[in-house]
Amino acid sequence: MRINPSILSADFANLASELQRIHTADAVHVDVMDNHFVPNLTLGKPVVEAIAANTGLPLDIHLMIADADRWAPEYAQLGVDSVTFHAEASTAPVRLARELRATGAKASMALRPATAVEPYLDMLGELDMLLLMTVEPGFGGQKFLDLVLPKIRRARAAIEGSGRPIALQVDGGISRDTILRAVEAGADVFVAGSAVYSAPEPSVEIDVLRNLALGAH
Ligand code: DX5
Ligand code: ZN
């Protein structure tokens, strides 16, 4: 059970100290948005490099960008732990996942809430992680979508069936109130932005969320 806080909810003017506040995290979730795939613009490679230089935690890069086939390998080459691209933004997801792995990074693919997982089950073996969005990507602070829970269950069953150690990440609206539902459905990596950064002590909130997830299992 891993908790990856999203720095989307951090104070971007003080990223170094904001990274220090989440030192209990398992990884730092970095939301890259291009104002095309989603209606919001955040940061790109120079800021990812600055984050890497200011934390010892692994970086979990979530690309919400168009033309992922073109851009995702460049992020993987920065030496980050994992790169997640959106299936809806990739023309050749199998080739892209292989390119990501060839850099030494973990390959991960994300699905928007209304994208079915079934068309992608035969390529699970190409992935180290599957991200099922529990909000429409683009903004922090949105409400968790319970309609994704059946898809999480189906994905968990497929992962178990594959016999491979593929992580199942959820992202969007995760908090003390919603994490148990995601755990029970089968998720094991949890992104939390507003719930962590709005807490008085983000590092403690991360432990609270992890303990809730561990207790539910
Ligand atoms: C949404 C991002 C999420 C977001 C999560 O597009 O991918 O990572 O920051 O924020 P919360 O936890 O506030 O929903
Ligand atoms: Zn994200």
Side-chain angles (χ1 to χ4, degrees):
M1 295 294 167
R2 288 182 271 155
I3 309 293
N4 296 2
S6 165
I7 51 114
L8 185 60
S9 298
D11 176 358
F12 275 27
N14 295 291
L15 277 180
S17 58
E18 291 290 76
L19 288 163
Q20 196 48 45
R21 292 172 81 204
I22 57 166
H23 65 273
T24 53
D26 293 284
V28 182
H29 183 84
V30 182
D31 289 306
V32 177
M33 306 187 189
D34 68 350
N35 223 8
H36 291 276
F37 183 69
V38 289
N40 197 3
L41 184 67
T42 55
L43 52 87
K45 284 200 303 176
V47 178
V48 171
E49 287 180 288
I51 291 168
N54 281 276
T55 180
L57 293 170
L59 297 194
D60 159 25
I61 308 294
H62 179 193
L63 299 176
M64 286 159 277
I65 61 175
D67 199 2
D69 306 73
R70 164 73 180 83
W71 299 109
E74 293 199 14
Y75 284 86
Q77 283 154 9
L78 298 179
V80 300
D81 183 64
S82 70
V83 173
T84 301
F85 63 89
H86 266 266
E88 304 90 347
S90 172
T91 306
V94 172
R95 184 173 65 210
L96 178 53
R98 290 182 180 188
E99 280 182 31
L100 294 176
R101 280 180 161 177
T103 70
K106 293 178 185 128
S108 168
M109 190 175 73
L111 303 178
R112 302 182 77 124
T115 302
V117 71
E118 281 72 18
Y120 299 99
L121 292 182
D122 287 341
M123 67 166 284
L124 274 184
E126 305 291 334
L127 302 172
D128 299 293
M129 183 166 79
L130 178 68
L131 165 54
L132 299 181
M133 292 300 299
T134 42
V135 298
E136 286 290 0
F139 302 93
Q142 301 182 78
K143 195 172 174 298
F144 180 86
L145 291 171
D146 283 283
L147 63 84
V148 182
L149 291 170
K151 180 165 63 175
I152 300 170
R153 284 193 196 95
R154 297 197 301 275
R156 169 52 62 195
I159 288 169
E160 295 305 313
S162 78
R164 295 172 188 270
I166 302 163
L168 184 53
Q169 187 179 66
V170 285
D171 179 9
I174 299 294
S175 69
R176 294 184 188 202
D177 295 332
T178 58
I179 194 167
L180 292 183
R181 277 176 265 164
V183 173
E184 280 158 14
D188 55 10
V189 186
F190 306 86
V191 176
S194 48
V196 166
Y197 273 106
S198 68
E201 291 287 349
S203 61
V204 173
E205 191 66 19
I206 291 163
D207 288 337
V208 168
L209 291 172
R210 190 187 295 106
N211 286 333
L212 278 171
L214 288 168
H217 230 56

